[in-house]
Amino acid sequence: MIRRVWRFARFVQSVLLPTLRLTPLSFGVFLLSVSSLLSAAPSFQETFNSHKLVMLLIDPQSGQIVDANDAASQFYGYDPAELKAMTIQQINQLSAEQVSEERKLAQAEGRNYFIFRHKVADGSVKTVEVSSVPLEFDGNTLLHSIVRDISNERRLSDELWHYQARLEEMVDLKALELEASYRNEQIRMIFAIGLLFIIASGLIYALRQSRIAGAKVEKAELGLREVIWGTNVGTWEWNVITGETVFSDRWADIVGYSLDELEPVSIDTWLSIAHPDDLERSSEQLEKVFKGELDFYECEVRVRHRNGSWRWVQDRGKVVEWGIDGKPLRMSGTHTDITDKKNAEIELKDALSQLVATLEATDNGILVTSEYGHVIRTNTQFTTMWHLPAGIVSLGDEKVMLAHVKDQLRDPEQFIVDIEGVYQNIHLESEDLLEFKDGRVFSRFSRPMIVDGRFCGRVWSFRDITEQRNAQEKIHRLAMTDTLTDLANRNQFNLQFEKNLDLAQREQKNLALMMVDLDKFKHINDTYGHPVGDAVLKAVATVLLRHCRKTDIVARLGGDEFAVVSVFPKDRAAAHQVAERIIGELQEPIDAASHNLDVALSIGMCFYPDDAETVEDMIYKADVALYAAKKAGHNLIRCYENPQKVSDQTV
């Protein structure tokens, strides 16, 4: 019984409150008066189905239409079964955002219903008023919605508004006609008064506009003065016909005077302090402006300062008034003190001239390139040394220049590879030799140009050392080269090793050291003699060079002991592969002084920075690995790990 009372109460609340506009108090009294009759009243479902109002039961979570009465089926034009298969979103033409806004609007206006646009089966859209309350059905909450068609009310309201607007328009037109008639009748009587009023009003308006314009002009002048003061420029006005001029305080201050000290001022004041050489250029520019060839006058002029020095000013101006004959009447302009700027430009030009003179005075050929390899500057000696045709550098075509250079070299491909390698290591300083087809030899030195920590290009210096090389070749070979194998000797090895280790520390790169020693070399010497032993050493040197890069260091340290420094290998494995290839080739018999001899060797390896960080320490640890390899057998590679454990690989 209680449950039926509750359902009936919610039903009445959803049906009668919106329809009959019952207050909550009236509804409570009504509920008490009919509660005793509920046992005899029809069920909710019967009332729902038979009620004349359009009613829907909706799942608030999914929007699914759970039930619809016959009135809803008639209103929407769908069978009840079709309605139950639909969602309210398929009927309601408002978007989710528009529905949310309508709910907020209803709450703000204190309405207990909502205005929606529902689409019926025939495709038409009707304006409806929807009242919804939640009801409990077997533990599930559903929205009991009552839908009332208010399309006609809206249409009647719109028609009433339109009629009212037309009526007001007709009243306004009639009023205008009456007013016009009245004015026509009275116009002769008030014409004189109206004319006087108009004249007085015009005078008052003109006076007011004059005051407004004056205020605007004053404000504009103030703003202009502030701008001029802020930019620290002097101003001038010149009457071209009479020569009268007006200068600002800053104009006079630029030349070291006050305006009072320059009085009386005229165009002659300007002519008396301007440099005669600059006045000629100034007059030429003014003439072009007066003829209409230029829109603005602009010229850099020196002016005599009170202390006798010359100051530079940027003189700019424009004709602000022309005569009817097309001739200029007045000009206005500014003076900007650019002395510091001009002095800096002069100093820069002087420095550049000195630099160019220095480049031209040197015996070296100088080439300056950008960070992208484009030619920036060369000196005459560079053009002469490389036999470049006249004008080829000025064309700025690096491809043409490079083609001409490559044609002169013995190894042009390596020349390109070396250049690319240098640009890949922007902080690298390189020095090498270039051999020409005609027998000349150039030393080439390159170093990066670093400005504020940024790489901005390279300077290349070329020096013809053909004679020096021929003269010093023997001395250098004796001092730095092993005379038997033409490899670096111990001195050269130590110097190059130190240099590349320093570079590796700066560039955070890797180094690999291989200590190479021939096994049973004494047996070869004793059996075949020293000439055959020397041939074996030369053959081993050739193998080492074949498997190393030009940037690597290959040296004979003495006797049958060699050393290889792999400069900046990709990783440990890459360096190890070089050692494997060396041992692999020497497994085959070698031709030494007409003898086919089997040669075995051992290699000990050490890596920077993993194993050691100094030349001495790397040599020591590579030797430790070498001795371990020799002790274990022949054709072994061992990498230093620690005094107790050294990795090995038998080939």
Side-chain angles (χ1 to χ4, degrees):
M1 179 63 183
I2 294 175
R3 189 170 183 178
R4 294 187 63 190
V5 171
W6 172 249
R7 284 187 176 179
F8 183 76
R10 297 303 297 267
F11 168 71
V12 174
Q13 183 183 14
S14 64
V15 175
L16 296 181
L17 270 178
T19 306
L20 303 178
R21 304 292 194 262
L22 294 178
T23 65
L25 181 59
S26 301
F27 170 65
V29 174
F30 172 75
L31 181 63
L32 291 175
S33 64
V34 300
S35 60
S36 60
L37 302 176
L38 280 177
S39 58
S43 67
F44 171 80
Q45 189 65 41
E46 293 172 348
T47 305
F48 177 83
N49 290 333
S50 61
H51 205 285
K52 300 303 181 182
L53 294 177
V54 177
M55 297 186 184
L56 300 172
L57 286 178
I58 303 170
D59 187 337
Q61 300 298 324
S62 63
Q64 182 66 43
I65 299 175
V66 177
D67 201 356
N69 65 357
D70 294 337
S73 178
Q74 280 186 341
F75 177 70
Y76 289 109
Y78 295 105
D79 291 339
E82 291 179 314
L83 280 174
K84 292 178 184 180
M86 300 172 69
T87 64
I88 193 64
Q89 290 85 352
Q90 294 175 268
I91 295 175
N92 195 352
Q93 298 301 293
L94 299 186
S95 64
E97 292 78 6
Q98 291 172 325
V99 171
S100 177
E101 291 298 324
E102 168 58 18
R103 292 181 184 278
K104 294 179 182 178
L105 180 62
Q107 184 178 6
E109 294 178 352
R111 292 189 273 112
N112 59 352
Y113 59 90
F114 306 104
I115 305 299
F116 294 140
R117 301 274 288 168
H118 283 189
K119 185 176 182 180
V120 298
D122 62 6
S124 62
V125 178
K126 297 187 178 183
T127 303
V128 297
E129 179 182 286
V130 180
S131 301
S132 298
V133 294
L135 294 179
E136 296 291 334
F137 288 92
D138 297 329
N140 297 322
T141 300
L142 300 177
L143 287 179
H144 178 227
S145 299
I146 299 175
V147 181
R148 188 167 69 90
D149 185 5
I150 60 171
S151 300
N152 292 334
E153 295 178 15
R154 282 296 177 94
R155 185 173 60 255
L156 290 175
S157 176
D158 292 342
E159 291 176 354
L160 179 60
W161 177 86
H162 180 71
Y163 174 76
Q164 181 179 354
R166 289 289 298 161
L167 183 60
E168 290 176 354
E169 183 180 352
M170 293 173 62
V171 171
D172 290 341
L173 290 175
K174 191 62 178 178
L176 289 175
E177 291 177 1
L178 292 174
E179 184 177 355
S181 175
Y182 176 77
R183 285 180 179 176
N184 289 334
E185 292 176 359
Q186 300 295 326
I187 193 168
R188 289 193 181 98
M189 298 176 60
I190 64 174
F191 177 76
I193 297 174
L195 182 61
L196 290 175
F197 177 76
I198 292 172
I199 294 173
S201 298
L203 291 174
I204 293 173
Y205 177 78
L207 180 60
R208 182 180 178 185
Q209 290 300 110
S210 176
R211 289 179 178 176
I212 293 174
K216 289 182 178 179
V217 170
E218 184 178 352
K219 183 178 180 181
E221 290 178 349
L222 177 61
L224 180 60
R225 287 196 297 270
E226 290 175 347
V227 169
I228 293 174
W229 178 82
T231 54
N232 199 29
V233 298
T235 61
W236 52 265
E237 298 178 26
W238 174 33
N239 189 312
V240 181
I241 304 301
T242 65
E244 297 179 19
T245 57
V246 177
F247 298 133
S248 68
D249 291 332
R250 175 56 183 159
W251 189 98
D253 182 62
I254 291 175
V255 293
Y257 294 93
S258 65
L259 276 179
D260 293 339
E261 292 174 322
L262 292 176
E263 290 291 348
V265 295
S266 66
I267 192 62
D268 293 333
T269 306
W270 160 248
L271 298 176
S272 66
I273 64 173
H275 196 287
D277 295 343
D278 300 333
L279 279 177
E280 184 177 351
R281 290 187 294 104
S282 174
S283 298
E284 292 175 356
Q285 293 297 310
L286 284 172
E287 189 64 25
K288 291 180 179 180
V289 173
F290 293 163
K291 291 180 179 179
E293 297 176 6
L294 296 176
D295 292 331
F296 294 90
Y297 160 76
E298 184 172 355
C299 188
E300 293 181 353
V301 183
R302 286 165 289 178
V303 293
R304 175 77 70 179
H305 193 271
R306 185 173 190 169
N307 61 15
S309 64
W310 291 101
R311 307 286 294 180
W312 281 95
V313 296
Q314 182 77 44
D315 192 15
R316 292 190 180 97
K318 183 178 177 63
V319 176
V320 296
E321 185 179 354
W322 296 85
I324 57 176
D325 56 356
K327 294 183 178 181
L329 298 180
R330 287 191 308 112
M331 283 190 72
S332 295
T334 61
H335 272 183
T336 304
D337 189 345
I338 59 170
T339 304
D340 293 340
K341 172 177 172 291
K342 292 296 292 185
N343 289 338
E345 290 178 355
I346 293 171
E347 291 177 2
L348 182 60
K349 289 181 180 178
D350 291 343
L352 184 59
S353 298
Q354 294 173 10
L355 177 61
V356 172
T358 302
L359 292 177
E360 294 298 330
T362 182
D363 291 334
N364 293 357
I366 303 298
L367 170 66
V368 183
T369 59
S370 70
E371 64 267 39
Y372 306 107
H374 301 311
V375 176
I376 298 176
R377 180 176 292 277
T378 63
N379 66 351
T380 303
Q381 182 65 9
F382 174 83
T383 305
T384 302
M385 291 174 63
W386 286 95
H387 299 164
L388 295 175
I392 193 173
V393 177
S394 61
L395 290 176
D397 192 335
E398 288 88 359
K399 292 183 179 179
V400 175
M401 185 186 302
L402 184 60
H404 188 82
V405 167
K406 288 170 56 180
D407 288 342
Q408 304 179 57
L409 297 173
R410 288 185 179 178
D411 193 352
E413 288 74 17
Q414 187 60 42
F415 174 77
I416 298 299
V417 170
D418 293 342
I419 291 178
E420 291 175 348
V422 168
Y423 273 96
Q424 289 173 359
N425 297 275
I426 60 175
H427 295 289
L428 180 68
E429 292 186 3
S430 69
E431 185 173 5
D432 58 358
L433 298 179
L434 301 176
E435 296 184 352
F436 287 69
K437 295 177 181 178
D438 60 8
R440 290 180 300 155
V441 178
F442 285 0
S443 68
R444 176 177 61 179
F445 175 74
S446 172
R447 68 181 303 166
M449 292 191 298
I450 307 297
V451 179
D452 295 331
R454 185 181 68 85
F455 173 73
C456 59
R458 280 192 168 272
V459 177
W460 301 83
S461 177
F462 301 89
R463 187 175 184 85
D464 189 341
I465 61 168
T466 306
E467 294 182 1
Q468 294 91 321
R469 187 191 188 193
N470 293 336
Q472 297 176 0
E473 191 174 37
K474 291 183 179 180
I475 298 174
H476 176 77
R477 179 169 298 179
L478 291 173
M480 307 299 291
T481 306
D482 178 65
T483 56
L484 177 63
T485 62
D486 283 335
L487 297 179
N489 61 15
R490 186 179 293 273
N491 292 334
Q492 178 73 351
F493 172 76
N494 289 335
L495 288 174
Q496 292 297 322
F497 198 179
E498 287 280 2
K499 181 178 179 180
N500 282 277
L501 184 60
D502 291 341
L503 185 60
Q505 291 172 345
R506 291 198 304 271
E507 298 287 339
Q508 297 183 350
K509 299 294 180 92
N510 301 321
L511 288 178
L513 172 62
M514 304 178 202
M515 298 299 290
V516 182
D517 193 80
L518 299 183
D519 297 331
K520 299 181 180 181
F521 179 69
K522 184 176 183 303
H523 173 73
I524 295 175
N525 265 338
D526 294 343
T527 303
Y528 298 100
H530 289 288
V532 175
D534 290 346
V536 169
L537 293 175
K538 291 180 180 179
V540 171
T542 301
V543 171
L544 293 177
L545 289 173
R546 184 180 299 122
H547 292 285
C548 293
R549 301 166 299 171
K550 287 192 174 183
T551 55
D552 296 336
I553 305 169
V554 182
R556 180 188 175 211
L557 303 183
D560 59 353
E561 186 180 1
F562 296 84
V564 176
V565 177
S566 181
V567 179
F568 307 158
K570 181 179 179 182
D571 49 31
R572 293 173 67 107
H576 203 281
Q577 289 171 1
V578 174
E580 291 174 351
R581 290 195 297 269
I582 292 171
I583 289 185
E585 181 172 346
L586 289 175
Q587 278 188 303
E588 300 294 330
I590 63 174
D591 183 13
S594 301
H595 294 279
N596 286 328
L597 302 176
D598 291 327
V599 177
L601 52 81
S602 301
I603 298 178
M605 300 186 68
C606 176
F607 296 89
Y608 168 85
D610 296 343
D611 302 328
E613 296 185 354
T614 65
V615 169
E616 293 78 9
D617 200 18
M618 288 189 71
I619 293 175
Y620 169 75
K621 292 180 177 179
D623 277 336
V624 170
L626 173 64
Y627 295 144
K630 291 179 71 69
K631 185 177 179 181
H634 303 297
N635 290 329
L636 289 179
I637 302 171
R638 283 205 168 181
C639 299
Y640 178 85
E641 290 187 358
N642 57 53
Q644 289 75 35
K645 182 181 179 182
V646 181
S647 67
D648 66 295
Q649 174 180 338
T650 302
V651 180

